Amino acid sequence: MKVKRATIAKVLAAVFVFNLVVMAGGAWLAYQEAPPIPEEVVGPDGETVMTDEDIREGKKAFQRDGLMNHGSILGNGAYYGADYTADTLDLKVEHMRDYYARERYGSEYGDLDSAEQAAVGDVVKSDLDEGYDGGAIQYSAAEVYAHEQIREAYVGRYHEGDHARGVPVDMIDDETEARQFADFALWTAWFSHTDRPAGDHSYTNDWPYQPAAGNDATAAAMTWSVIAMVLLVAGAGGAIWLYKAVDLPEPSAAGISVPEPGEVSVFPSQRAALRFVPVAAGLFLAQVLLGGLLAHFYIERAGFFGIEELFGVHILQVLPFAIAKTWHIDLGILWIAATWLGAGLFLPPLLTGHEPSRQSTYVNGLLGAIVVVTVGGLGGIWLGANGYLDGALWWLIGNEGLEYLEVGKVWQIGLLAGFGFWALLSIRGLKPMLDREPAYGLAHMILYAGGSIALLFTAGFLFTPETNIAVTEFWRWWVVHMWVEGAFEFFIVAIVGLTLVSMNLLSRQSAEKAVMLQALLVMSTGVIGVSHHYWWIGMPDLWVPIGSVFSTLELVPLVFILYEAIGQYRAMAGGRESFPYKLPFMFIIASGFWNFVGAGVLGFFINLPLINYYEHGTYLTVGHAHAAMFGAFGFLALGMVTYMLQIAIDPADWDGSWLRGAFWLWNVGLALMVFVSVLPVGFLQLEAIFTESYAAGRSLAFYNQPIVQNLFWARLPGDTMIIAGTALYAADLVRKRFVLRATADDPDVEDMAVAEGVLSDD
């Protein structure tokens, strides 16, 4: 059937508005249904155990000292240390058992016979299986005892240091703050086992799994997992029908004039945009080196190949895991974003032949601003986490301490301003297209995609360190997940469509229709799909059915993105022997493949509610994250770099052998890392959690098992290949710097062979 671009555009706009309305309603519910922070917790004699101020101060310590990038809270964060919610719940059960065993039998719990242990276990479970109707939380004497024991254990671990666990001395530099951090973690443990008012399960849907505390998977998790699998089949069938029913032209290299790189002039703004590439490559190299260190920390928690024994310096104290991981995550976001920004400013002249006045100066200014924000943000993280910033400065210019939103608020404002400036520069460059095309045109799509990234980033400004952790997590996932499953995917299909048009492989009108249809599939599932992150963090349980449905359907558009990428490559690679851009499209194919595998297959598996209940925050998530982030978005960025370089270098001087070598090192290395090491560890964790408890699967005892340690060592070849590929890529950029073509001083559309047909009227 014939569908007009205007019709698809209207449906896409309606879907986007619908998504925002649903999520706005969810935001209102988040504040209404968040777990309460009681004014105080009291013991059986009325003595105060902790107050709401202790809980809030503990949350500040958790963020300021980077504990979310050492361990996790409510399953969210790093997997190197314990999950603080599960850990404190597990310790609470352990100490309560000991208390009742001594009180009733005069012996330690471990010395009791099975009948006595069962009796003590029933009393503990009964203590913890109580609801809450407001006011002060009432602790039993056993809970008071357990609370005090856990406080002291956390002082010993996070203030005094525990190198066996990879915790540096003075990670929390004050005993009082370490106790308050324990209070905060224990509060999350409390609402994980306390039933909601008039409900039959806890605020976290009985997560984490701890049978001794009465926490087990709910019936809804099973029911909606089955429904999700049925919906996947139905959704895939419906999407196939829609995709085949809508008449979309296929890309074809037959009978067209694909311009050779040497036929295209390079203008000053494009040379300026190319400067983003070496800056991003430096960040990329630093990121993968830190990634190698982080992987090794799981083997030697206080050392690095014996270096600390040779020089007497503990690398754990110089560069703790939490700071290294914080930098690793932020560098990954920054190098990909910087590359995309550069590509977004390089492409407009290819499409329009238009070079705005002083555009290159402004592009250089944007790059300088990005460098300032990067250095300031990474430096602020170190200063904030090490206690050099007092008062509110630690989260304003230091370390906000939330995974993926680590940098201080001032630097986040700088990043947001950078997106705004990039949009203005893109508008200047694309103006000839914007003036001639309708509001749903291809150039507009690029701006909408970039604008949606900036819009969703603003959710990170809707909370402070004082905000309830459940509400904080609600907004944080708006940024993290909606970027990845919504705005970034939108940007992918838009930038690939723009690239096809710049090569004359698709008409602008055809690309617009394809981009909008794929964006419609992405937006229909990815935005509300964020709700699978709300199942265990204290949000209302209505998110279980909503998250199950939309998270399942997220796989559908990823299948078609891969299908389209393969179709594009076949047309181009087979259409003519001399097609010059095969190498860039190798990267685009890899991006589509890893997007499907990482975000699609692995994402679907771990997001089934029943699997996610046990898997949440394990190495299976690590495999999903690496394959999706680097595999999907990183390879697209690198493909755009390859295309830009081919345009900017004379064909006689072009040599793609090093880039091709890096391509295979990255792909093979990523496959080895994910499938030989990371996923097997994740499945072993899943088994440990199934058979024992969630805390057991995240414990030091689990990580220290010989089989797990061997699997950590098995990651070394894959990591080494990724590092080698990145080093080869960086070296190739250095040598290519000396063969860049001179820029054209007087831009003219006649010089831009790739702009053929782009500026024609609809």
Side-chain angles (χ1 to χ4, degrees):
M1 62 180 175
K2 296 284 187 180
V3 178
K4 294 182 178 180
R5 289 170 293 155
T7 302
I8 302 176
K10 291 174 183 177
V11 176
L12 178 59
V15 166
F16 188 73
V17 171
F18 173 76
N19 284 331
L20 292 182
V21 169
V22 170
M23 296 311 297
W28 180 81
L29 276 176
Y31 287 93
Q32 301 301 313
E33 301 293 332
I37 301 177
E39 289 188 6
E40 61 179 351
V41 176
V42 298
D45 298 327
E47 72 276 19
T48 299
V49 179
M50 68 177 176
T51 66
D52 57 343
E53 185 67 17
D54 292 325
I55 294 170
R56 290 188 173 91
E57 289 299 316
K59 179 175 181 279
K60 290 179 182 178
F62 163 72
Q63 291 183 223
R64 181 181 58 248
D65 296 309
L67 286 153
M68 196 175 194
N69 271 322
H70 184 274
S72 58
I73 197 79
L74 297 163
N76 297 319
Y79 313 140
Y80 177 68
D83 178 82
Y84 311 116
T85 304
D87 183 51
T88 51
L89 180 60
D90 198 59
L91 290 172
K92 189 174 182 178
V93 168
E94 177 186 324
H95 289 302
M96 288 178 69
R97 282 173 167 176
D98 285 338
Y99 179 90
Y100 281 121
R102 287 192 294 268
E103 180 188 64
R104 298 190 172 200
Y105 301 104
S107 181
E108 297 298 319
Y109 176 80
D111 296 330
L112 302 180
D113 62 37
S114 58
E116 291 169 337
Q117 285 185 345
V120 167
D122 286 343
V123 176
V124 170
K125 189 180 292 187
S126 177
D127 265 8
L128 299 179
D129 189 26
E130 294 183 354
Y132 175 71
D133 296 321
I137 295 175
Q138 299 288 330
Y139 264 4
S140 67
E143 286 179 289
V144 173
Y145 170 77
H147 194 109
E148 290 300 328
Q149 296 301 309
I150 295 167
R151 270 181 168 173
E152 296 312 306
Y154 270 43
V155 169
R157 188 188 301 177
Y158 298 108
H159 170 59
E160 296 171 6
D162 187 342
H163 280 197
R165 294 178 179 273
V167 181
V169 176
D170 285 335
M171 186 170 191
I172 300 177
D173 59 10
D174 182 87
E175 283 190 29
T176 299
E177 291 175 355
R179 290 189 178 91
Q180 289 171 330
F181 168 58
D183 291 340
F184 166 66
L186 279 158
W187 168 67
T188 68
W190 169 80
F191 70 72
S192 79
H193 68 69
T194 300
D195 286 351
R196 284 184 180 272
D200 60 357
H201 50 258
S202 75
Y203 288 90
T204 60
N205 289 309
D206 286 348
W207 188 92
Y209 178 55
Q210 173 49 281
N215 278 13
D216 205 341
T218 63
M222 170 65 81
T223 301
W224 284 101
S225 293
V226 174
I227 292 172
M229 288 187 283
V230 174
L231 280 174
L232 177 63
V233 177
I240 290 170
W241 171 83
L242 176 64
Y243 212 74
K244 291 296 184 182
V246 175
D247 184 26
L248 289 175
E250 296 290 336
S252 173
I256 63 171
S257 174
V258 178
E260 296 292 334
E263 299 173 359
V264 183
S265 293
V266 177
F267 297 138
S269 67
Q270 292 177 299
R271 176 61 66 84
L274 272 173
R275 296 189 180 104
F276 282 73
V277 173
V279 171
L283 301 178
F284 184 19
L285 183 59
Q287 188 216 0
V288 296
L289 289 172
L290 284 170
L293 173 63
L294 294 173
H296 192 75
F297 263 134
Y298 281 87
I299 301 167
E300 288 186 275
R301 293 207 164 224
F304 188 69
F305 294 103
I307 289 176
E308 78 289 347
E309 295 179 5
L310 292 175
F311 298 100
V313 176
H314 281 290
I315 192 169
L316 180 66
Q317 292 295 139
V318 177
L319 185 59
F321 182 95
I323 291 180
K325 182 175 184 292
T326 299
W327 283 346
H328 175 71
I329 289 175
D330 289 352
L331 286 167
I333 295 171
L334 287 167
W335 82 257
I336 291 173
T339 305
W340 282 8
L341 292 177
L345 296 171
F346 186 92
L347 287 175
L350 295 178
L351 296 157
T352 66
H354 176 61
E355 176 83 346
S357 174
R358 303 191 66 192
Q359 182 81 340
S360 61
T361 301
Y362 296 137
V363 172
N364 286 328
L366 176 60
L367 178 60
I370 290 174
V371 170
V372 169
V373 170
T374 298
V375 173
L378 297 180
I381 286 169
W382 190 87
L383 292 171
N386 283 284
Y388 290 105
L389 300 173
D390 296 325
L393 288 178
W394 69 264
W395 68 279
L396 289 175
I397 62 173
N399 170 38
E400 190 179 8
L402 297 171
E403 191 182 32
Y404 291 100
L405 293 175
E406 287 90 354
V407 298
K409 278 287 184 277
V410 170
W411 308 114
Q412 291 181 32
I413 292 171
L415 290 171
L416 192 59
F419 269 114
F421 190 40
W422 172 84
L424 291 175
L425 295 180
S426 297
I427 290 171
R428 296 179 90 235
L430 292 168
K431 194 171 186 307
M433 283 183 70
L434 294 169
D435 289 344
R436 287 171 169 80
E437 69 179 20
Y440 51 77
L442 191 59
H444 286 80
M445 289 292 113
I446 291 292
L447 296 179
Y448 297 153
S452 63
I453 292 173
L455 175 64
L456 295 174
F457 189 70
T458 60
F461 296 90
L462 300 178
F463 53 82
T464 72
E466 298 279 347
T467 305
N468 187 305
I469 185 62
V471 177
T472 298
E473 285 294 278
F474 177 87
W475 289 120
R476 186 179 73 88
W477 282 114
W478 268 54
V479 178
V480 179
H481 180 103
M482 289 192 199
W483 267 8
V484 173
E485 302 294 348
F488 278 15
E489 298 286 357
F490 188 6
F491 195 89
I492 281 181
V493 297
I495 204 78
V496 171
L498 201 67
T499 304
L500 290 172
V501 172
S502 76
M503 294 177 179
N504 281 339
L505 293 169
L506 272 182
S507 71
R508 177 171 53 81
Q509 294 88 343
S510 298
E512 287 166 357
K513 185 178 289 188
V515 166
M516 282 190 290
L517 185 59
Q518 291 185 50
L520 176 61
L521 291 173
V522 167
M523 287 293 176
S524 297
T525 60
V527 174
I528 300 178
V530 68
S531 52
H532 67 253
H533 294 291
Y534 299 156
W535 293 339
W536 326 122
I537 66 168
M539 290 289 99
D541 54 3
L542 64 83
W543 288 118
V544 174
I546 295 173
S548 301
V549 171
F550 285 91
S551 295
T552 298
L553 296 178
E554 284 175 353
L555 177 60
V556 173
L558 302 183
V559 173
F560 289 109
I561 289 174
L562 177 61
Y563 173 79
E564 282 290 293
I566 292 173
Q568 291 157 5
Y569 184 75
R570 283 177 175 171
M572 294 161 211
R576 51 181 289 186
E577 289 297 323
S578 60
F579 180 73
Y581 303 113
K582 290 182 181 179
L583 185 55
F585 270 89
M586 285 173 61
F587 283 94
I588 292 175
I589 286 290
S591 171
F593 170 79
W594 286 109
N595 201 6
F596 171 71
V597 171
V601 176
L602 297 179
F604 166 73
F605 169 68
I606 68 173
N607 287 335
L608 285 170
L610 190 62
I611 298 297
N612 194 259
Y613 177 83
Y614 299 100
E615 175 282 331
H616 180 51
T618 67
Y619 251 60
L620 291 174
T621 303
V622 176
H624 157 68
H626 280 79
M629 188 69 181
F630 174 51
F633 306 128
F635 274 113
L636 176 67
L638 294 164
M640 296 311 302
V641 168
T642 307
Y643 180 49
M644 293 159 65
L645 289 173
Q646 276 200 259
I647 295 291
I649 294 174
D650 192 279
D653 296 320
W654 171 253
D655 177 9
S657 60
W658 288 23
L659 281 171
R660 188 173 286 103
F663 171 86
W664 288 113
L665 284 169
W666 284 322
N667 275 280
V668 175
L670 183 58
L672 289 175
M673 182 186 78
V674 170
F675 296 110
V676 174
S677 175
V678 172
L679 290 184
V681 172
F683 282 114
L684 288 173
Q685 277 185 293
L686 194 60
E687 181 182 32
I689 293 167
F690 273 143
T691 55
E692 299 179 60
S693 69
Y694 184 83
R698 289 285 303 274
S699 67
L700 189 62
F702 171 83
Y703 286 132
N704 283 341
Q705 293 178 94
I707 187 173
V708 175
Q709 288 291 300
N710 288 336
L711 286 170
F712 285 149
W713 278 112
R715 181 172 168 173
L716 186 62
D719 283 359
T720 301
M721 293 181 76
I722 292 173
I723 292 170
T726 309
L728 182 63
Y729 167 65
D732 192 42
L733 291 180
V734 172
R735 69 174 190 148
K736 282 182 167 53
R737 170 66 182 83
F738 298 101
V739 293
L740 295 176
R741 289 192 290 145
T743 60
D745 295 324
D746 186 19
D748 191 288
V749 73
E750 297 299 325
D751 296 321
M752 305 302 290
V754 287
E756 181 180 309
V758 171
L759 300 180
S760 61
D761 294 329
D762 282 326

